[in-house]
Amino acid sequence: MLTRRGAGGLVLAAVLLTGCQGAQTPAPAEAPAPLTTELSVPAPSPPPAPAASSAAPAVRPLTGKLVVLDPGHNGGTDPAALNAQVPNGRGRTKACNTTGTSTAEGYAEHAFTWALAQQVQQLLTAQGATVRLTRDSDSGLGPCVDQRAAAGAGADVVVSLHGDGAPPSGRGFHVAYSAPPLSAVQSGPSVRLATTMRDAMVAGGLTPSTYLGSDGLNPRSDLAGLNLATGPAVLVECANLRNPAEAAAVSTPAGRTPYARAIADGITRFLTTG
């Protein structure tokens, strides 16, 4: 066998044919295909479209509920208007309203209840409730207590917000309801609302009154707003504004927040449980 190194560094062999024929000239070798350094990269596929959700939007727990908040008192001080007599719901009359109390530093009850109502309203609205206030500002007079009761007609719940003016040694909250009741709603739903509110405030870390009522509850016959109520209604004396520690707390937004959360929680519990 004869060998010959051909082009491209390949060794070519010529095979001697039978009969000892002469060596054949090998055909020129094919040049190898050139190498390429480029890789073919497929184009990226577009991300899959998100699957359409068939779930309906979550319904907030208080959707469809109407809550009326009554920020107690008002900023006006006209004695004649405040002393005008209106029905008290038990066949007698009482003053249209009063100026309320204040802390020793001069923070007025009407300012406290107005600020607290804004916080409670925000919390309840976030839960889907429609919230109405019995007054639209913290200035001026009125409405009178009988008109505030009328503003709650058709509401699922009415809560009147107040701060008390008791001796400085007393502290804590109490929840008032109309007693003896003047209707079935006052003897049933209003009492349940009062106890539910009391429980929510205790759960929120607030202390039942040490000076009035019993275990945070205070049945009363002299509150026109409760006597005239046609739906579940209570009045919450949130704190004693004459007590130095409680006065300091309710005078700031952060100090009012536990009260707002507890009251909103009490309303939510009442409206979402049987």
Side-chain angles (χ1 to χ4, degrees):
M1 177 182 292
L2 300 177
T3 61
R4 180 180 179 185
R5 189 171 299 277
L10 300 176
V11 177
L12 302 178
V15 180
L16 295 178
L17 299 179
T18 303
C20 297
Q21 295 179 349
Q24 294 182 338
T25 304
E30 272 187 34
L35 296 175
T36 176
T37 58
E38 294 186 4
L39 297 176
S40 177
V41 180
S45 301
S53 174
S54 59
V59 177
R60 292 176 291 176
L62 299 186
T63 298
K65 300 297 186 181
L66 172 60
V67 176
V68 170
L69 298 176
D70 173 33
H73 307 284
N74 45 240
T77 58
D78 181 353
L82 291 173
N83 290 326
Q85 296 296 294
V86 299
N88 78 340
R90 294 185 184 271
R92 297 184 292 276
T93 62
K94 69 179 303 176
C96 164
N97 215 317
T98 69
T99 56
T101 188
S102 67
T103 68
E105 287 71 28
Y107 183 56
E109 180 183 2
H110 67 81
F112 161 64
T113 63
W114 176 251
L116 180 64
Q118 312 305 304
Q119 289 180 277
V120 178
Q121 181 180 36
Q122 184 177 20
L123 292 169
L124 294 175
T125 300
Q127 296 298 310
T130 297
V131 182
R132 297 177 186 166
L133 273 58
T134 57
R135 54 187 174 104
D136 57 12
S137 73
D138 194 36
S139 60
L141 288 165
C144 294
V145 288
D146 60 327
Q147 294 171 312
R148 297 184 191 221
D156 294 287
V157 65
V158 178
V159 176
S160 187
L161 305 174
H162 286 257
D164 209 0
S169 59
R171 62 189 181 92
F173 75 87
H174 56 272
V175 182
Y177 57 94
S178 182
L182 297 172
S183 66
V185 74
Q186 291 179 9
S187 64
S190 288
V191 176
R192 184 171 73 85
L193 174 59
T195 56
T196 302
M197 183 65 69
R198 183 271 315 275
D199 293 346
M201 296 188 78
V202 170
L206 302 172
T207 302
S209 174
T210 62
Y211 63 93
L212 192 62
S214 175
D215 199 21
L217 296 176
N218 186 29
R220 292 179 63 172
S221 63
D222 61 322
L223 298 176
L226 301 182
N227 293 336
L228 295 167
T230 56
V234 296
L235 183 150
V236 182
E237 292 280 9
C238 297
N240 179 13
L241 300 191
R242 308 303 292 180
N243 177 279
E246 292 192 329
V250 302
S251 297
T252 68
R256 289 189 293 270
T257 296
Y259 294 92
R261 287 177 176 167
I263 291 167
D265 185 38
I267 293 171
T268 301
R269 290 187 189 192
F270 175 79
L271 291 176
T272 56
T273 59

